[in-house]
Amino acid sequence: MSTPHPAGEWRPGAKSGETWAPEIDPHMRAKHVAKRGLLYSVATFFAVFAALPFAWMVFTIFKTNQDLYNSKNNPFLYNDPPTLDNVRLLFRDTKYPTFLWNTLIVSIGVVIITVVIAVPAAYALTRLVGGWGEGLGIAIFMVYLIPPTLLFIPMTRTVAELGLKNSKWSMVLVYPTFTIPFCVWLMLGFFKSIPWDIEEQAMIDGYSRLGAIWKAVIPLSLPGILTVIVFSTALTLHEFVYALAFVTSSDQKTISIGVTTELVRGDVFFWQSLMAAAAIVAIPVALLYTLFLDKFVAGFTLGAVKG
Amino acid sequence: MNAVTTTPPRIPWTNDEPPAQGRYLRDNTRVLGPVLLLPAIVYIVALVGIPFALAIAYAFSDASVGDQSLNWVGLRNFRAIWGDATFQMALRNTIYFTFVSQAVVIVFASVLAIVLDSDFHGKRLVRFLVLLPWTTPIALAVIAWLWTLDSVYSPLDAILRYVGLLGPGTYFGPGKSMLWLAKPDLARLSILMIHVWRTTPLAAVIVLAGLAGIPKELNEAAAIDGASEARQIFLVRIPLLLPILAVAVLYGVVFTFTDMAVVYILTRGGPMDTTQVLSSWAFFKGVEGTNLAQGAAIALFLFPILVAAAIVMLRFAKRTETV
């Protein structure tokens, strides 16, 4: 780890010359050790609390049935050698590949709709509509907070009337209702950080305003658009309630409902395969999300603090 | 981008002076602005505004899955659900889960933010791990908990048995497992814990972002004045953090109050409907029980908390604008 230490801070094992180590008063030193100890214990507590179910999930994936279900075995060891059979079962004998495929299609659809609608809207709010752009932006962001649990009952009817009942396209249609508000807000921040001069200059050079947007603004806001793509995908993968209300046939299900409703059947749980099904999606999503989290936080704090 | 780097002679064209009417239509900001904004507005009105109006209409009607026509029945649905013991249980549970979990989250998030704000070895790993509960899709995270709290194979039970707290003749005994999800009190405690687990990371990173915004000079000034580290934290940093902490908890309140996935996947409202919350009860009544009208009426009880949240947000937004 290369966490920078401010010069002058005492640290164990510091090579002479690497940092300036002052004369150490034993009392100060004890206090320092106690402080570091407390810091590490608290950090460990939170890490263990957060990771516990995931650790157990990943650990379970590779267990054989005889090992897992034998109550005489120590549950924290691999009493049989670890196996990939459970993952194979998941891909061969369940609809898991279909769920993955549906999730991919829905995500792509949601991302396209979100980018096409949210990016121009955010641009208009920062550049073209004048003083009330900010207020309208906040109003749009508020829509993100309206939960699916409030709207899923009438939404089921809306979806049925559009002929999308029990189809994955219902999710493509409805998910932008929360990705658009969130991403408009996100892009608002990005566009604000791009100086006006750039478009102005492009227009001076003879481009129309649309031309200037296309040639000058869009290339500069690609990081913002990438963030929009990441969060539209993440929010799509996180959604559960609409999916549960709209889709009942297993061919159309996405991961979050497919795994929870199709792979859990009555009393017969294929726990290892179920855990694999969850982990295969959860861990990459978590990684991606963590990478972009600062942007997410900046959005949530209304840009008041930079993440 | 040549357009940016070359410097042609300035022409008199500034922000205050919109493009002359003679230019292309697509240059006219008064047309272009609304045109770019319209799709977003239409999408939101059509797919959030209309369903919301419909939700209210349903709540005052006798709509069911079989017959969705809207006949006005006044407050009949509200009277019916209010008289229902399960609804009252769901309302109590929702309030209990939300406010108790968020009280814990305030403490956890502040501590975790201070930890993540300091330098230590393995910080990036700790950061990734503590964020997992928030960054993982909720349904998949709850599946992991379902297995962790299993009635026979729970590792928590195994640990309790190992340290001698569970089993015949012990503190939690005589059973060999806690039956986390089969006893009403333990099931509620489990749900509460999962809400704490899931919303702490978000609150912590929001508070962390707030910490980064506090000028270092303030701490230094306090240190020079002789304040101990604890005093610096409690008298300088936490007061400055209160507004941002309020925002962090606000999201926690909204997400916990309106969440359905945890209860639906973990207990399906059981045992015997003792862990139902408003959203899950609305789902069981409205979708699985086919009584759309009552389902919609139950879901409407989620609305006041959202209004309260919106008011807090707007105040916060106003503050950040004036700063």
Side-chain angles (χ1 to χ4, degrees), chain A residues 102-157:
Chain A
N102 289 340
T103 307
L104 183 71
I105 300 285
V106 171
S107 301
I108 291 173
V110 172
V111 164
I112 291 172
I113 294 177
T114 307
V115 170
V116 167
I117 292 184
V119 174
Y123 180 83
L125 286 175
T126 40
R127 296 288 209 265
L128 302 174
V129 298
W132 45 279
E134 181 83 13
L136 190 58
I138 291 173
I140 290 177
F141 176 67
M142 296 280 197
V143 174
Y144 169 72
L145 291 180
I146 299 176
T149 37
L150 186 66
L151 296 179
F152 69 91
I153 288 176
M155 206 75 107
T156 315
R157 174 164 175 182

CSV table of all heavy atoms in Angstrom, one decimal, chain A residues 102-157:
chain,number,residue,atom,x,y,z
A,102,ASN,N,-31.1,-11.8,-20.8
A,102,ASN,CA,-32.2,-10.8,-20.7
A,102,ASN,C,-31.7,-9.6,-19.9
A,102,ASN,O,-32.0,-8.5,-20.3
A,102,ASN,CB,-33.4,-11.4,-19.9
A,102,ASN,CG,-34.1,-12.5,-20.6
A,102,ASN,OD1,-34.1,-12.5,-21.9
A,102,ASN,ND2,-34.9,-13.3,-19.9
A,103,THR,N,-30.9,-9.8,-18.9
A,103,THR,CA,-30.3,-8.7,-18.2
A,103,THR,C,-29.5,-7.8,-19.1
A,103,THR,O,-29.6,-6.6,-19.1
A,103,THR,CB,-29.4,-9.2,-17.0
A,103,THR,OG1,-30.2,-10.1,-16.2
A,103,THR,CG2,-29.0,-8.0,-16.1
A,104,LEU,N,-28.7,-8.5,-20.0
A,104,LEU,CA,-27.9,-7.7,-20.9
A,104,LEU,C,-28.7,-6.9,-21.9
A,104,LEU,O,-28.5,-5.7,-22.0
A,104,LEU,CB,-27.0,-8.7,-21.7
A,104,LEU,CG,-26.0,-8.1,-22.7
A,104,LEU,CD1,-24.9,-7.4,-21.9
A,104,LEU,CD2,-25.5,-9.1,-23.7
A,105,ILE,N,-29.8,-7.5,-22.4
A,105,ILE,CA,-30.6,-6.8,-23.4
A,105,ILE,C,-31.3,-5.6,-22.7
A,105,ILE,O,-31.3,-4.5,-23.2
A,105,ILE,CB,-31.8,-7.8,-23.9
A,105,ILE,CG1,-31.1,-8.9,-24.6
A,105,ILE,CG2,-32.7,-7.0,-24.8
A,105,ILE,CD1,-30.6,-8.6,-26.0
A,106,VAL,N,-31.9,-5.9,-21.5
A,106,VAL,CA,-32.6,-4.8,-20.8
A,106,VAL,C,-31.6,-3.7,-20.5
A,106,VAL,O,-31.9,-2.5,-20.7
A,106,VAL,CB,-33.2,-5.3,-19.5
A,106,VAL,CG1,-33.8,-4.2,-18.6
A,106,VAL,CG2,-34.3,-6.3,-19.8
A,107,SER,N,-30.4,-4.0,-20.0
A,107,SER,CA,-29.4,-3.0,-19.7
A,107,SER,C,-29.1,-2.1,-20.9
A,107,SER,O,-29.0,-0.9,-20.8
A,107,SER,CB,-28.1,-3.6,-19.1
A,107,SER,OG,-28.4,-4.3,-18.0
A,108,ILE,N,-28.8,-2.8,-22.0
A,108,ILE,CA,-28.5,-2.0,-23.2
A,108,ILE,C,-29.6,-1.1,-23.6
A,108,ILE,O,-29.4,0.1,-23.9
A,108,ILE,CB,-28.1,-3.0,-24.4
A,108,ILE,CG1,-26.8,-3.7,-24.1
A,108,ILE,CG2,-28.0,-2.2,-25.7
A,108,ILE,CD1,-26.4,-4.8,-25.1
A,109,GLY,N,-30.8,-1.6,-23.6
A,109,GLY,CA,-32.0,-0.8,-23.9
A,109,GLY,C,-32.1,0.4,-23.0
A,109,GLY,O,-32.3,1.5,-23.5
A,110,VAL,N,-32.0,0.1,-21.7
A,110,VAL,CA,-32.1,1.2,-20.8
A,110,VAL,C,-31.0,2.3,-20.9
A,110,VAL,O,-31.2,3.5,-20.9
A,110,VAL,CB,-32.1,0.7,-19.3
A,110,VAL,CG1,-32.0,1.8,-18.3
A,110,VAL,CG2,-33.3,-0.2,-19.1
A,111,VAL,N,-29.8,1.8,-21.2
A,111,VAL,CA,-28.7,2.7,-21.4
A,111,VAL,C,-28.9,3.6,-22.6
A,111,VAL,O,-28.7,4.8,-22.5
A,111,VAL,CB,-27.3,1.9,-21.5
A,111,VAL,CG1,-26.2,2.8,-22.1
A,111,VAL,CG2,-26.9,1.4,-20.2
A,112,ILE,N,-29.3,3.0,-23.7
A,112,ILE,CA,-29.6,3.8,-24.9
A,112,ILE,C,-30.6,4.9,-24.7
A,112,ILE,O,-30.4,6.0,-24.9
A,112,ILE,CB,-29.9,2.9,-26.1
A,112,ILE,CG1,-28.7,2.0,-26.5
A,112,ILE,CG2,-30.4,3.7,-27.3
A,112,ILE,CD1,-29.1,0.9,-27.5
A,113,ILE,N,-31.8,4.5,-24.1
A,113,ILE,CA,-32.8,5.4,-23.9
A,113,ILE,C,-32.3,6.5,-22.9
A,113,ILE,O,-32.6,7.7,-23.2
A,113,ILE,CB,-34.1,4.7,-23.3
A,113,ILE,CG1,-34.7,3.8,-24.3
A,113,ILE,CG2,-35.1,5.8,-22.9
A,113,ILE,CD1,-35.9,3.0,-23.9
A,114,THR,N,-31.6,6.1,-21.9
A,114,THR,CA,-31.2,7.1,-20.9
A,114,THR,C,-30.2,8.1,-21.5
A,114,THR,O,-30.4,9.3,-21.3
A,114,THR,CB,-30.5,6.4,-19.7
A,114,THR,OG1,-31.4,5.4,-19.2
A,114,THR,CG2,-30.2,7.4,-18.6
A,115,VAL,N,-29.2,7.6,-22.3
A,115,VAL,CA,-28.2,8.5,-22.8
A,115,VAL,C,-28.9,9.5,-23.8
A,115,VAL,O,-28.7,10.7,-23.8
A,115,VAL,CB,-27.1,7.7,-23.5
A,115,VAL,CG1,-26.2,8.7,-24.3
A,115,VAL,CG2,-26.3,7.0,-22.5
A,116,VAL,N,-29.8,8.9,-24.7
A,116,VAL,CA,-30.4,9.7,-25.7
A,116,VAL,C,-31.3,10.8,-25.1
A,116,VAL,O,-31.4,11.9,-25.6
A,116,VAL,CB,-31.2,8.8,-26.7
A,116,VAL,CG1,-32.1,9.7,-27.6
A,116,VAL,CG2,-30.2,8.0,-27.5
A,117,ILE,N,-31.9,10.5,-24.0
A,117,ILE,CA,-32.9,11.5,-23.4
A,117,ILE,C,-32.2,12.4,-22.4
A,117,ILE,O,-32.4,13.6,-22.3
A,117,ILE,CB,-34.1,10.8,-22.9
A,117,ILE,CG1,-34.9,10.2,-24.0
A,117,ILE,CG2,-35.0,11.7,-22.1
A,117,ILE,CD1,-36.2,9.5,-23.6
A,118,ALA,N,-31.4,11.8,-21.5
A,118,ALA,CA,-30.9,12.5,-20.4
A,118,ALA,C,-29.8,13.5,-20.8
A,118,ALA,O,-29.7,14.6,-20.2
A,118,ALA,CB,-30.4,11.6,-19.3
A,119,VAL,N,-28.9,13.1,-21.7
A,119,VAL,CA,-27.8,14.0,-22.0
A,119,VAL,C,-28.2,15.3,-22.7
A,119,VAL,O,-27.9,16.4,-22.2
A,119,VAL,CB,-26.7,13.3,-22.9
A,119,VAL,CG1,-25.6,14.2,-23.3
A,119,VAL,CG2,-26.1,12.1,-22.1
A,120,PRO,N,-29.1,15.3,-23.7
A,120,PRO,CA,-29.6,16.6,-24.3
A,120,PRO,C,-30.4,17.4,-23.2
A,120,PRO,O,-30.2,18.6,-23.2
A,120,PRO,CB,-30.5,16.1,-25.4
A,120,PRO,CG,-30.2,14.7,-25.7
A,120,PRO,CD,-29.6,14.1,-24.4
A,121,ALA,N,-31.2,16.7,-22.4
A,121,ALA,CA,-31.9,17.4,-21.4
A,121,ALA,C,-31.0,18.2,-20.4
A,121,ALA,O,-31.2,19.3,-20.1
A,121,ALA,CB,-32.9,16.5,-20.6
A,122,ALA,N,-30.0,17.5,-20.0
A,122,ALA,CA,-29.0,18.1,-19.1
A,122,ALA,C,-28.3,19.3,-19.7
A,122,ALA,O,-28.1,20.4,-19.1
A,122,ALA,CB,-28.0,17.1,-18.6
A,123,TYR,N,-28.0,19.1,-21.0
A,123,TYR,CA,-27.4,20.2,-21.7
A,123,TYR,C,-28.3,21.4,-21.8
A,123,TYR,O,-27.9,22.6,-21.5
A,123,TYR,CB,-27.0,19.8,-23.2
A,123,TYR,CG,-26.3,20.9,-23.9
A,123,TYR,CD1,-25.0,21.1,-23.8
A,123,TYR,CD2,-27.1,21.7,-24.8
A,123,TYR,CE1,-24.3,22.2,-24.5
A,123,TYR,CE2,-26.5,22.8,-25.4
A,123,TYR,CZ,-25.1,23.0,-25.3
A,123,TYR,OH,-24.5,24.0,-25.9
A,124,ALA,N,-29.6,21.2,-22.1
A,124,ALA,CA,-30.5,22.3,-22.2
A,124,ALA,C,-30.7,23.0,-20.9
A,124,ALA,O,-30.7,24.2,-20.8
A,124,ALA,CB,-31.9,21.7,-22.7
A,125,LEU,N,-30.7,22.2,-19.8
A,125,LEU,CA,-30.8,22.8,-18.5
A,125,LEU,C,-29.7,23.7,-18.1
A,125,LEU,O,-29.8,24.7,-17.4
A,125,LEU,CB,-31.0,21.7,-17.4
A,125,LEU,CG,-32.4,21.0,-17.4
A,125,LEU,CD1,-32.4,19.9,-16.4
A,125,LEU,CD2,-33.5,22.0,-17.1
A,126,THR,N,-28.4,23.3,-18.5
A,126,THR,CA,-27.3,24.2,-18.1
A,126,THR,C,-27.1,25.3,-19.1
A,126,THR,O,-26.6,26.4,-18.6
A,126,THR,CB,-26.0,23.4,-18.1
A,126,THR,OG1,-25.9,22.5,-19.2
A,126,THR,CG2,-25.8,22.6,-16.9
A,127,ARG,N,-27.5,25.2,-20.3
A,127,ARG,CA,-27.0,26.2,-21.3
A,127,ARG,C,-28.2,27.0,-21.9
A,127,ARG,O,-28.0,28.1,-22.3
A,127,ARG,CB,-26.3,25.5,-22.5
A,127,ARG,CG,-25.0,24.8,-22.1
A,127,ARG,CD,-23.9,25.8,-21.8
A,127,ARG,NE,-22.6,25.3,-22.1
A,127,ARG,CZ,-21.8,24.7,-21.2
A,127,ARG,NH1,-22.2,24.6,-20.0
A,127,ARG,NH2,-20.6,24.3,-21.6
A,128,LEU,N,-29.3,26.4,-22.0
A,128,LEU,CA,-30.3,27.0,-23.0
A,128,LEU,C,-31.5,27.5,-22.3
A,128,LEU,O,-32.2,28.3,-22.9
A,128,LEU,CB,-30.7,25.9,-24.0
A,128,LEU,CG,-29.6,25.4,-24.9
A,128,LEU,CD1,-30.1,24.3,-25.8
A,128,LEU,CD2,-28.9,26.4,-25.7
A,129,VAL,N,-31.9,27.1,-21.1
A,129,VAL,CA,-33.2,27.5,-20.6
A,129,VAL,C,-33.1,28.7,-19.6
A,129,VAL,O,-34.1,29.1,-19.0
A,129,VAL,CB,-34.0,26.4,-20.1
A,129,VAL,CG1,-34.3,25.4,-21.1
A,129,VAL,CG2,-33.3,25.7,-18.9
A,130,GLY,N,-31.9,29.1,-19.3
A,130,GLY,CA,-31.8,30.3,-18.4
A,130,GLY,C,-31.9,29.9,-16.9
A,130,GLY,O,-31.6,28.8,-16.6
A,131,GLY,N,-32.3,30.9,-16.1
A,131,GLY,CA,-32.1,30.8,-14.7
A,131,GLY,C,-32.9,29.6,-14.0
A,131,GLY,O,-32.4,29.1,-13.0
A,132,TRP,N,-34.0,29.2,-14.6
A,132,TRP,CA,-34.7,28.1,-13.8
A,132,TRP,C,-34.2,26.7,-14.2
A,132,TRP,O,-34.8,25.8,-13.7
A,132,TRP,CB,-36.2,28.3,-14.1
A,132,TRP,CG,-36.6,28.5,-15.5
A,132,TRP,CD1,-36.5,29.7,-16.2
A,132,TRP,CD2,-37.0,27.5,-16.5
A,132,TRP,NE1,-36.9,29.5,-17.5
A,132,TRP,CE2,-37.2,28.2,-17.7
A,132,TRP,CE3,-37.3,26.1,-16.4
A,132,TRP,CZ2,-37.6,27.5,-18.9
A,132,TRP,CZ3,-37.7,25.5,-17.6
A,132,TRP,CH2,-37.9,26.2,-18.8
A,133,GLY,N,-33.1,26.6,-14.9
A,133,GLY,CA,-32.6,25.3,-15.2
A,133,GLY,C,-32.2,24.5,-14.0
A,133,GLY,O,-32.5,23.4,-13.9
A,134,GLU,N,-31.5,25.2,-13.0
A,134,GLU,CA,-31.1,24.6,-11.8
A,134,GLU,C,-32.3,24.0,-11.0
A,134,GLU,O,-32.3,22.9,-10.6
A,134,GLU,CB,-30.3,25.6,-11.0
A,134,GLU,CG,-29.8,25.1,-9.7
A,134,GLU,CD,-28.5,24.3,-9.8
A,134,GLU,OE1,-27.9,24.5,-10.9
A,134,GLU,OE2,-28.0,23.6,-8.9
A,135,GLY,N,-33.3,24.9,-10.9
A,135,GLY,CA,-34.5,24.5,-10.1
A,135,GLY,C,-35.2,23.3,-10.8
A,135,GLY,O,-35.5,22.3,-10.1
A,136,LEU,N,-35.3,23.3,-12.1
A,136,LEU,CA,-35.9,22.2,-12.8
A,136,LEU,C,-35.1,21.0,-12.7
A,136,LEU,O,-35.6,19.8,-12.5
A,136,LEU,CB,-36.1,22.6,-14.3
A,136,LEU,CG,-37.0,21.7,-15.1
A,136,LEU,CD1,-38.4,21.5,-14.5
A,136,LEU,CD2,-37.0,22.2,-16.6
A,137,GLY,N,-33.8,21.2,-12.7
A,137,GLY,CA,-32.9,20.0,-12.5
A,137,GLY,C,-33.1,19.3,-11.2
A,137,GLY,O,-33.2,18.1,-11.1
A,138,ILE,N,-33.3,20.1,-10.1
A,138,ILE,CA,-33.5,19.5,-8.8
A,138,ILE,C,-34.9,18.8,-8.8
A,138,ILE,O,-35.0,17.7,-8.3
A,138,ILE,CB,-33.4,20.6,-7.7
A,138,ILE,CG1,-32.0,21.1,-7.5
A,138,ILE,CG2,-34.0,20.1,-6.3
A,138,ILE,CD1,-31.8,22.2,-6.6
A,139,ALA,N,-35.9,19.4,-9.4
A,139,ALA,CA,-37.2,18.8,-9.5
A,139,ALA,C,-37.1,17.5,-10.2
A,139,ALA,O,-37.7,16.5,-9.8
A,139,ALA,CB,-38.2,19.7,-10.2
A,140,ILE,N,-36.3,17.4,-11.3
A,140,ILE,CA,-36.2,16.1,-12.0
A,140,ILE,C,-35.5,15.1,-11.1
A,140,ILE,O,-35.8,13.9,-11.1
A,140,ILE,CB,-35.4,16.4,-13.3
A,140,ILE,CG1,-36.3,17.2,-14.3
A,140,ILE,CG2,-35.0,15.0,-14.0
A,140,ILE,CD1,-35.7,17.5,-15.6
A,141,PHE,N,-34.4,15.5,-10.4
A,141,PHE,CA,-33.7,14.6,-9.5
A,141,PHE,C,-34.7,14.0,-8.5
A,141,PHE,O,-34.5,12.8,-8.1
A,141,PHE,CB,-32.6,15.3,-8.8
A,141,PHE,CG,-31.8,14.5,-7.9
A,141,PHE,CD1,-31.1,13.4,-8.3
A,141,PHE,CD2,-31.8,14.7,-6.5
A,141,PHE,CE1,-30.4,12.6,-7.4
A,141,PHE,CE2,-31.2,13.9,-5.6
A,141,PHE,CZ,-30.4,12.8,-6.1
A,142,MET,N,-35.6,14.8,-8.0
A,142,MET,CA,-36.5,14.3,-7.0
A,142,MET,C,-37.3,13.1,-7.5
A,142,MET,O,-37.7,12.3,-6.7
A,142,MET,CB,-37.5,15.4,-6.6
A,142,MET,CG,-36.9,16.6,-5.9
A,142,MET,SD,-36.5,16.3,-4.2
A,142,MET,CE,-36.3,18.0,-3.7
A,143,VAL,N,-37.6,13.1,-8.8
A,143,VAL,CA,-38.4,12.0,-9.3
A,143,VAL,C,-37.6,10.7,-9.1
A,143,VAL,O,-38.3,9.7,-8.9
A,143,VAL,CB,-38.6,12.2,-10.8
A,143,VAL,CG1,-39.3,11.1,-11.5
A,143,VAL,CG2,-39.4,13.5,-11.1
A,144,TYR,N,-36.3,10.8,-9.0
A,144,TYR,CA,-35.5,9.5,-8.8
A,144,TYR,C,-35.9,8.9,-7.4
A,144,TYR,O,-35.8,7.7,-7.2
A,144,TYR,CB,-34.0,9.9,-8.8
A,144,TYR,CG,-33.2,8.8,-8.3
A,144,TYR,CD1,-33.0,7.6,-9.0
A,144,TYR,CD2,-32.5,8.9,-7.0
A,144,TYR,CE1,-32.2,6.6,-8.6
A,144,TYR,CE2,-31.8,7.8,-6.6
A,144,TYR,CZ,-31.6,6.7,-7.3
A,144,TYR,OH,-30.8,5.7,-6.8
A,145,LEU,N,-36.3,9.8,-6.5
A,145,LEU,CA,-36.6,9.3,-5.1
A,145,LEU,C,-38.0,8.7,-5.0
A,145,LEU,O,-38.3,8.1,-4.0
A,145,LEU,CB,-36.5,10.4,-4.1
A,145,LEU,CG,-35.1,10.9,-3.9
A,145,LEU,CD1,-35.1,12.0,-2.8
A,145,LEU,CD2,-34.2,9.8,-3.4
A,146,ILE,N,-38.8,8.8,-6.0
A,146,ILE,CA,-40.1,8.2,-6.0
A,146,ILE,C,-39.9,6.7,-6.2
A,146,ILE,O,-39.4,6.2,-7.2
A,146,ILE,CB,-41.1,8.7,-7.1
A,146,ILE,CG1,-41.3,10.2,-6.9
A,146,ILE,CG2,-42.4,8.0,-7.1
A,146,ILE,CD1,-42.1,10.9,-8.0
A,147,PRO,N,-40.3,5.9,-5.2
A,147,PRO,CA,-39.9,4.5,-5.2
A,147,PRO,C,-40.9,3.6,-6.1
A,147,PRO,O,-42.1,3.9,-6.2
A,147,PRO,CB,-40.1,4.0,-3.8
A,147,PRO,CG,-41.2,4.9,-3.3
A,147,PRO,CD,-41.1,6.2,-4.0
A,148,PRO,N,-40.3,2.6,-6.7
A,148,PRO,CA,-41.1,1.6,-7.5
A,148,PRO,C,-42.3,1.1,-6.7
A,148,PRO,O,-43.4,0.8,-7.2
A,148,PRO,CB,-40.2,0.5,-7.8
A,148,PRO,CG,-38.8,1.1,-7.8
A,148,PRO,CD,-38.9,2.2,-6.8
A,149,THR,N,-42.1,0.9,-5.3
A,149,THR,CA,-43.1,0.4,-4.5
A,149,THR,C,-44.4,1.2,-4.5
A,149,THR,O,-45.5,0.8,-4.2
A,149,THR,CB,-42.6,0.1,-3.1
A,149,THR,OG1,-41.8,1.1,-2.7
A,149,THR,CG2,-41.9,-1.2,-3.0
A,150,LEU,N,-44.2,2.5,-4.8
A,150,LEU,CA,-45.4,3.4,-4.8
A,150,LEU,C,-46.1,3.3,-6.1
A,150,LEU,O,-47.3,3.5,-6.2
A,150,LEU,CB,-44.9,4.9,-4.6
A,150,LEU,CG,-46.0,5.9,-4.4
A,150,LEU,CD1,-46.8,5.7,-3.1
A,150,LEU,CD2,-45.4,7.3,-4.4
A,151,LEU,N,-45.4,3.0,-7.2
A,151,LEU,CA,-46.0,3.1,-8.5
A,151,LEU,C,-46.2,1.8,-9.2
A,151,LEU,O,-46.8,1.7,-10.3
A,151,LEU,CB,-45.1,3.9,-9.4
A,151,LEU,CG,-44.9,5.4,-9.0
A,151,LEU,CD1,-43.9,6.1,-10.0
A,151,LEU,CD2,-46.2,6.1,-9.0
A,152,PHE,N,-45.8,0.6,-8.6
A,152,PHE,CA,-45.8,-0.6,-9.4
A,152,PHE,C,-47.2,-1.1,-9.7
A,152,PHE,O,-47.4,-1.7,-10.8
A,152,PHE,CB,-45.0,-1.7,-8.8
A,152,PHE,CG,-45.6,-2.3,-7.5
A,152,PHE,CD1,-46.4,-3.4,-7.5
A,152,PHE,CD2,-45.3,-1.7,-6.3
A,152,PHE,CE1,-47.0,-3.9,-6.4
A,152,PHE,CE2,-45.8,-2.2,-5.1
A,152,PHE,CZ,-46.6,-3.3,-5.1
A,153,ILE,N,-48.2,-0.7,-8.9
A,153,ILE,CA,-49.5,-1.2,-9.2
A,153,ILE,C,-50.1,-0.6,-10.4
A,153,ILE,O,-50.5,-1.3,-11.4
A,153,ILE,CB,-50.4,-1.1,-7.9
A,153,ILE,CG1,-50.0,-2.2,-6.9
A,153,ILE,CG2,-51.9,-1.3,-8.3
A,153,ILE,CD1,-50.7,-2.1,-5.6
A,154,PRO,N,-50.2,0.8,-10.5
A,154,PRO,CA,-50.7,1.4,-11.7
A,154,PRO,C,-49.8,1.1,-12.9
A,154,PRO,O,-50.2,1.0,-14.0
A,154,PRO,CB,-50.8,2.9,-11.4
A,154,PRO,CG,-49.9,3.1,-10.2
A,154,PRO,CD,-49.9,1.8,-9.4
A,155,MET,N,-48.5,1.0,-12.6
A,155,MET,CA,-47.5,0.8,-13.7
A,155,MET,C,-47.8,-0.5,-14.4
A,155,MET,O,-47.6,-0.7,-15.6
A,155,MET,CB,-46.1,0.8,-13.1
A,155,MET,CG,-45.0,1.2,-14.1
A,155,MET,SD,-45.1,3.0,-14.4
A,155,MET,CE,-43.6,3.5,-13.6
A,156,THR,N,-48.2,-1.5,-13.6
A,156,THR,CA,-48.5,-2.8,-14.2
A,156,THR,C,-49.6,-2.7,-15.2
A,156,THR,O,-49.6,-3.3,-16.3
A,156,THR,CB,-49.0,-3.8,-13.1
A,156,THR,OG1,-48.2,-3.6,-12.0
A,156,THR,CG2,-49.0,-5.2,-13.5
A,157,ARG,N,-50.6,-1.8,-15.0
A,157,ARG,CA,-51.6,-1.6,-15.9
A,157,ARG,C,-51.1,-0.8,-17.2
A,157,ARG,O,-51.4,-1.2,-18.3
A,157,ARG,CB,-52.8,-0.7,-15.3
A,157,ARG,CG,-53.8,-0.4,-16.3
A,157,ARG,CD,-55.1,0.1,-15.6
A,157,ARG,NE,-56.0,0.6,-16.5
A,157,ARG,CZ,-57.2,1.0,-16.2
A,157,ARG,NH1,-57.5,1.1,-14.9
A,157,ARG,NH2,-58.0,1.5,-17.1
